[in-house]
């Protein structure tokens, strides 16, 4: 069997993001992808029409079902949405001795919120410290740090603040910024 990895993320039925995109990426890199569904979206290439949260207890049940059978060599998180789910996932990650990649998905690429505003503090306090790598985009990094990211220096400062939260590594995806 290929090396097993698990994504704990939301579902995008159009396949462009979420656990579907993660599973495609895992496959392209010769990994055996497994998934724990945290939320369902009704979306397409035009936007998000609806979101349905999966109960925290069922998310945990999915994760336990996977890991009691197949031990992952890495875990990636995506859209978690609610403070109680973020805390629950963060607590579970302490049981694993493998790298954790945290993609702090807060908003869809169409601008639809995927994380409750009150969840940001839980993300900062519980999930980021468990991360081997945090991969925020510029807008997520701004929300996590309170810094406006407009150039390389502010990007570096934001990455350092995220490291100061406990992340071992940060890959800040900035898009296009000036000097």
């Amino acid at each position: 069997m290929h090396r097993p990895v698990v994504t704990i993320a939301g579902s995008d039925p159009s396949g462009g993001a979420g656990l579907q995109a993660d599973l495609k990426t895992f496959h392209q890199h010769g990994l055996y992808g497994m998934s724990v569904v945290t939320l369902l979206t009704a979306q397409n290439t035009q936007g998000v029409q609806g979101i349905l949260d999966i109960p925290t207890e069922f998310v945990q049940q999915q994760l336990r079902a996977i890991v009691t059978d197949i031990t992952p060599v890495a875990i990636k998180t995506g859209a978690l949405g609610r403070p109680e789910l973020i805390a629950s996932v963060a607590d579970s990650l302490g049981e694993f001795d493998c790298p954790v990649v945290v993609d702090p998905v807060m908003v869809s690429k169409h601008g639809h919120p995927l994380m409750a505003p009150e969840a940001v503090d839980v993300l900062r306090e519980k999930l980021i410290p468990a991360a081997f790598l945090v991969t925020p985009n510029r807008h997520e990094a701004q929300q996590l740090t309170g810094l406006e990211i407009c150039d390389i220096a502010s990007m570096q400062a934001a990455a350092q603040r995220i490291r100061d939260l406990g992340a071992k590594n940060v890959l800040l995806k900035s898009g296009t910024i000036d000097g």
Side-chain angles (χ1 to χ4, degrees):
M1 177 190 325
H2 297 288
R3 293 180 321 224
V5 295
V6 63
T7 178
I8 305 171
S11 173
D12 170 4
S14 70
L19 66 89
Q20 287 87 346
D22 290 345
L23 291 172
K24 289 177 194 177
T25 300
F26 297 163
H27 181 76
Q28 288 175 337
H29 292 277
L31 301 168
Y32 178 76
M34 304 177 289
S35 61
V36 172
V37 184
T38 60
L39 56 87
L40 302 173
T41 64
Q43 70 178 15
N44 55 29
T45 61
Q46 305 299 307
V48 177
Q49 291 79 43
I51 297 175
L52 178 65
D53 289 320
I54 304 299
T56 300
E57 300 77 26
F58 191 72
V59 171
Q60 284 298 329
Q61 189 176 7
Q62 291 175 76
L63 182 59
R64 279 191 305 277
I66 290 172
V67 301
T68 57
D69 185 37
I70 304 169
T71 303
V73 299
I75 298 169
K76 179 195 175 285
T77 67
L80 300 176
R82 306 174 318 278
E84 63 277 3
L85 181 57
I86 295 169
S88 176
V89 168
D91 290 345
S92 294
L93 294 177
E95 301 171 23
F96 302 100
D97 185 26
C98 66
V100 175
V101 176
V102 173
D103 185 357
V105 177
M106 297 177 177
V107 178
S108 77
K109 63 184 170 184
H110 304 100
H112 193 94
L114 297 174
M115 180 181 285
E118 63 273 13
V120 177
D121 286 339
V122 179
L123 181 68
R124 277 189 206 105
E125 295 165 14
K126 296 204 65 139
L127 192 57
I128 289 177
F132 172 77
L133 175 65
V134 180
T135 62
N137 64 34
R138 181 176 59 181
H139 303 292
E140 293 160 345
Q142 288 178 159
Q143 275 192 278
L144 288 169
T145 65
L147 296 174
E148 181 181 346
I149 300 172
C150 57
D151 56 22
I152 298 295
S154 58
M155 205 168 104
Q156 291 170 330
Q160 184 58 53
R161 277 215 189 152
I162 295 168
R163 283 203 62 204
D164 291 346
L165 294 171
K168 291 176 184 55
N169 299 284
V170 178
L171 174 63
L172 202 157
K173 304 170 285 187
S174 67
T176 303
I177 60 171
D178 295 327

